[in-house]
Amino acid sequence: MTAFAASAGTAHPWAFHPHYEVWMLVGLMVVGYISLLRYEGPRRVPEGTPVATTLQKWCWFVGTFFLWLGADYPIHDIAEKYLFSIHMVQHMIFSFVAAPLLLAGLPAWAIRMVLKPPKVMRFVRRLTRPLVAFAIFNVVIAFTHWPAVVDAAVQSEWLHFSLHFVLFFSSVLMWWPVLDPLPETRRLSEPGKMLYLFGQSILPTVPASFLTFGDTPLYHFYEHVPRLWGIDALTDMRIAGLVMKIGGGLLLWTVIAIVFFKWNSDEESGKFDKSISWDDFEHELTALDLRRT
């Protein structure tokens, strides 16, 4: 048993353990967002135009809440000291809830302000190309769930934090083509977004299958931690696989449904031309980087 695991067993799993660095981060995000809208927004938008919509504000504050929920007590403590399945829940919160909500909460003028240097904008445009963002996110998912990486991360607070930052950043890139935060980086129509999200819902089933159908625990650290709720290490790993496969899949398919109904509503209202040609299909393939111009 590692020294870290041994120390974990000395404390009750529900003993309150505040993470002040998380509180500070969340506080800075809330104060920074309010200050940005109040002091910078009026200088960036035409007079009489709201600096952010009500929906954007709700997205930012709810996204901040979920970021705090995943990073603080009790989820963080149980994930780091007792159950890998809760560790997976933590990753799902960061990737599929907090990241898209926070991105959706940023007004376009605020994003342009951050990406103002031309080199930065060009770099972001490359990273947010659908195929590139898709690949980065899935490589990060595979890497952050590699057994050696997980075993090392849960024993190092700074490594754990760094991996969560990389996971969150790659999640923002993955959601960018779907949420279209900037018109100048927009590439996908609604059908293209649904195809993109469908692919995203399929690929993570590969690592999830290794977890769900494995015969032996992959993560040695979680074999030696105190058992919580009577869940053994193998069952814990299988639950984690189901969380990744079913939980992540449900969230992605929920977004697909939202995109579909929005597309259908826009078509019925006459916003889009209902005629679809082969050129339209080729345009979607090109946008997804599946066909080069």
Side-chain angles (χ1 to χ4, degrees), residues 55-135:
L55 179 59
Q56 286 174 327
K57 295 174 184 177
W58 270 104
C59 284
W60 180 267
F61 291 119
V62 173
T64 302
F65 167 78
F66 275 103
L67 189 65
W68 166 79
L69 182 68
D72 201 12
Y73 167 91
I75 290 180
H76 176 80
D77 299 71
I78 296 175
E80 196 173 64
K81 300 177 183 179
Y82 298 95
L83 294 173
F84 178 68
S85 53
I86 301 300
H87 198 154
M88 186 65 75
V89 170
Q90 189 181 39
H91 285 192
M92 293 295 103
I93 291 174
F94 293 153
S95 300
F96 296 116
V97 183
L101 284 173
L102 289 171
L103 181 59
L106 286 173
W109 60 263
I111 299 176
R112 289 192 187 98
M113 186 176 68
V114 175
L115 305 182
K116 186 176 180 179
K119 289 184 179 179
V120 175
M121 176 63 82
R122 285 196 297 269
F123 182 63
V124 170
R125 283 180 62 86
R126 291 191 184 99
L127 289 182
T128 56
R129 291 183 67 87
L131 191 60
V132 174
F134 182 92

Side-chain angles (χ1 to χ4, degrees), residues 84 87-88 91 139-154 163 207 210-211 218-220 222 244:
F84 178 68
H87 198 154
M88 186 65 75
H91 285 192
V139 167
V140 169
I141 285 290
F143 177 75
T144 53
H145 292 91
W146 197 262
V149 174
V150 172
D151 287 336
V154 291
L163 290 175
F210 281 101
L211 299 176
L218 294 177
Y219 305 101
H220 299 305
Y222 287 100
M244 176 183 272

Side-chain angles (χ1 to χ4, degrees), residues 153-195:
V154 291
Q155 298 180 76
S156 169
E157 193 72 25
W158 283 106
L159 178 58
H160 205 177
F161 173 81
S162 300
L163 290 175
H164 282 173
F165 175 80
V166 172
L167 177 66
F168 180 81
F169 179 75
S170 68
S171 302
V172 171
L173 295 180
M174 187 274 286
W175 284 105
W176 192 290
V178 178
L179 297 175
D180 286 335
L182 288 179
E184 52 266 42
T185 62
R186 185 171 298 158
R187 294 187 179 91
L188 297 178
S189 66
E190 267 56 31
K193 292 175 185 178
M194 288 187 283
L195 180 61

Side-chain angles (χ1 to χ4, degrees), residues 207-239:
S209 297
F210 281 101
L211 299 176
T212 306
F213 301 109
D215 294 325
T216 57
L218 294 177
Y219 305 101
H220 299 305
F221 176 85
Y222 287 100
E223 291 184 78
H224 303 292
V225 295
R227 305 267 49 98
L228 191 62
W229 302 318
I231 302 175
D232 61 82
L234 183 58
T235 302
D236 181 33
M237 183 187 75
R238 289 173 173 170
I239 293 173

Side-chain angles (χ1 to χ4, degrees), residues 251-293:
L251 288 169
L252 288 168
W253 276 96
T254 298
V255 178
I256 290 174
I258 293 172
V259 173
F260 172 79
F261 285 116
K262 178 181 180 299
W263 175 47
N264 184 65
S265 175
D266 289 340
E267 280 203 324
E268 289 184 348
S269 66
K271 187 175 180 180
F272 293 139
D273 183 3
K274 295 184 179 181
S275 60
I276 300 177
S277 66
W278 178 256
D279 289 339
D280 297 322
F281 179 68
E282 287 191 330
H283 172 75
E284 294 301 334
L285 292 179
T286 302
L288 285 164
D289 294 329
L290 298 178
R291 181 181 183 275
R292 295 296 180 185
T293 56

Side-chain angles (χ1 to χ4, degrees), residues 187-206:
R187 294 187 179 91
L188 297 178
S189 66
E190 267 56 31
K193 292 175 185 178
M194 288 187 283
L195 180 61
Y196 174 83
L197 289 170
F198 172 75
Q200 184 55 61
S201 70
I202 297 299
L203 198 57
T205 60
V206 176

